[in-house]
Amino acid sequence: MKEDKRIRWGIIGCGAVTEVKSGPAYQNTEGFELLAVMRRNEEKAEDYAKRHGVPKFYSNAEELIADNEIDAVYIATPPDSHKEYALKVAAAGKPCCIEKPMAPNYSDSLEIYKAFNDKNLPLFIAYYRRSLPRFTKVKEWLANGEIGEVRQILWQLTKQPNEMDLSGEYNWRTDGKIAPAGYFDDLASHGLDLFGYLLGDIEEASGIATNQMGLYSAKDAIIGQWKHKNGILGTGSWNFGSYTREDVVEIHGSKGKIMFSVFDEAPITLINANGEEQLIIEHPEHVQEFHVKNIKDHLMGGKEHPSLGKSALHTSWVMDRILDQV
């Protein structure tokens, strides 16, 4: 796409994630326009369009995809419908961004990837942490050798069951048919994708997943281990029935270590022979702002986007390996 062309976007699934995190980023990015939104409930689609100043709204995804004024599509629905909509966008020959995870499993992710790759169409996945300044700073520390040769990475993520979990109220995030590993699919995918960005692709992965609480059909306790292609080892523990919340990542090297949180806006910490350095790098109001700006740079002939279909496909493979689904 040429730099002087304004790219008009349509969103399929204008739910909670698009209210603040992502939708406004497509409106505020120079060269982009959010022209249409779609939701199966027409009243909710119309309400979103009116509140956000979006010119068009649909209750049918096919109509939005077929709209000749729509140049590109952002799919922000639950992951079980990603493949259905993505294949239709690919068939229409339009660039696409899909919310993470790319799909509930590697097989569906591969089908999506091939559909866009075969047509040489841009495909982005909303692993926006690859674009956030706090994590690009961690990548800079690693590239500068601040902790020497990296040896291993450890991630501990725990949280208490929330009111919805305890009540038995339906939640697609814990429905085993939509998200087989529950919150792991929704949350761990962000971290594992980020680790691939920071440390390179993973070549081996395995794990154990179970349901300890019996509150819902998805898995709620997972442990995993992996090895990056460069020999760095990784371990992760995710438990969504713990008594407290923790989110701590440690990257250990031959000359120091780096600590940070994947989700909390805690300081990023560097410890080495020079002492300890802590930085607080806040997220933007619309957390996908840098991710969307990088989409613009990619589509208009600039730098390659850090989260493309190929890298997200690899993350799907790692997830399935840990869950023993490959």
Side-chain angles (χ1 to χ4, degrees):
M1 292 187 176
K2 294 181 180 180
E3 191 169 352
D4 60 353
K5 177 177 173 59
R6 190 168 184 82
I7 299 174
R8 300 163 296 181
W9 284 84
I11 297 178
I12 297 175
C14 52
V17 72
T18 67
E19 288 286 349
V20 178
K21 288 184 175 181
S22 61
Y26 286 86
Q27 293 178 298
N28 298 339
T29 297
E30 186 178 355
F32 279 6
E33 177 184 357
L34 180 55
L35 185 64
V37 294
M38 171 271 166
R39 196 164 179 174
R40 286 178 296 180
N41 184 312
E42 187 173 3
E43 290 183 3
K44 290 183 177 180
E46 182 179 14
D47 175 66
Y48 184 100
K50 287 181 177 179
R51 287 187 293 105
H52 290 272
V54 179
K56 297 183 180 184
F57 63 90
Y58 293 95
S59 60
N60 181 287
E62 287 78 6
E63 292 179 5
L64 181 147
I65 295 168
D67 187 331
N68 290 330
E69 292 188 318
I70 298 295
D71 302 309
V73 178
Y74 165 39
I75 299 171
T77 58
D80 64 322
S81 60
H82 287 181
K83 184 177 80 168
E84 174 191 355
Y85 293 134
L87 295 182
K88 290 176 180 178
V89 175
K94 298 182 179 184
C96 185
C97 179
I98 305 174
E99 262 305 323
K100 60 83 214 161
M102 190 172 178
N105 55 64
Y106 175 73
S107 177
D108 285 353
S109 298
L110 181 61
E111 194 170 345
I112 293 170
Y113 172 77
K114 286 183 175 179
F116 284 85
N117 190 60
D118 288 349
K119 288 194 169 188
N120 197 29
L121 286 169
L123 174 62
F124 312 94
I125 310 299
Y127 284 118
Y128 57 82
R129 279 168 174 76
R130 288 176 174 242
S131 296
L132 284 172
R134 72 189 312 261
F135 298 117
T136 58
K137 184 61 178 181
V138 171
K139 190 172 179 65
E140 178 186 312
W141 280 343
L142 292 167
N144 291 342
E146 297 289 352
I147 62 169
E149 293 186 19
V150 180
R151 304 299 191 201
Q152 63 178 350
I153 182 168
L154 312 144
W155 185 21
Q156 175 84 20
L157 178 66
T158 63
K159 79 175 191 69
Q160 296 171 309
N162 59 36
E163 290 184 8
M164 184 178 289
D165 298 334
L166 295 170
S167 71
E169 181 182 349
Y170 180 77
N171 179 1
W172 67 262
R173 288 179 174 83
T174 53
D175 183 342
K177 294 179 181 178
I178 296 176
Y183 293 114
F184 176 86
D185 288 347
D186 188 34
L187 302 176
S189 58
H190 265 302
L192 290 167
D193 182 83
L194 177 63
F195 301 160
Y197 170 67
L198 295 175
L199 304 174
D201 282 350
I202 292 168
E203 65 177 7
E204 297 178 32
S206 62
I208 299 172
T210 189
N211 184 310
Q212 294 181 329
M213 296 186 294
L215 294 177
Y216 40 74
S217 58
K219 308 295 185 185
D220 60 19
I222 300 96
I223 58 172
Q225 58 184 8
W226 61 89
K227 185 176 81 169
H228 294 262
K229 289 182 178 179
N230 50 21
I232 298 168
L233 298 180
T235 59
S237 175
W238 306 269
N239 194 292
F240 305 107
S242 180
Y243 83 102
T244 188
R245 174 184 166 78
E246 288 186 45
D247 178 12
V248 180
V249 176
E250 295 185 359
I251 303 178
H252 293 261
S254 60
K255 297 180 179 179
K257 73 174 181 178
I258 296 170
M259 301 172 62
F260 61 87
S261 167
V262 174
F263 298 104
D264 299 337
E265 290 192 63
I268 58 173
T269 302
L270 169 66
I271 302 172
N272 59 21
N274 297 321
E276 179 175 323
E277 178 182 0
Q278 284 195 342
L279 295 177
I280 297 176
I281 304 175
E282 296 181 354
H283 294 331
E285 178 186 0
H286 309 297
V287 75
Q288 292 197 23
E289 174 187 333
F290 294 100
H291 164 76
V292 175
K293 285 182 177 178
N294 283 338
I295 291 178
K296 185 202 78 169
D297 288 344
H298 184 109
L299 292 176
M300 294 184 173
K303 63 180 182 181
E304 182 175 276
H305 196 281
S307 182
L308 298 173
K310 184 177 181 180
S311 61
L313 176 65
H314 182 69
T315 299
S316 292
W317 176 84
V318 173
M319 296 277 288
D320 271 19
R321 291 295 299 173
I322 290 175
L323 297 172
D324 196 25
Q325 293 182 165
V326 174

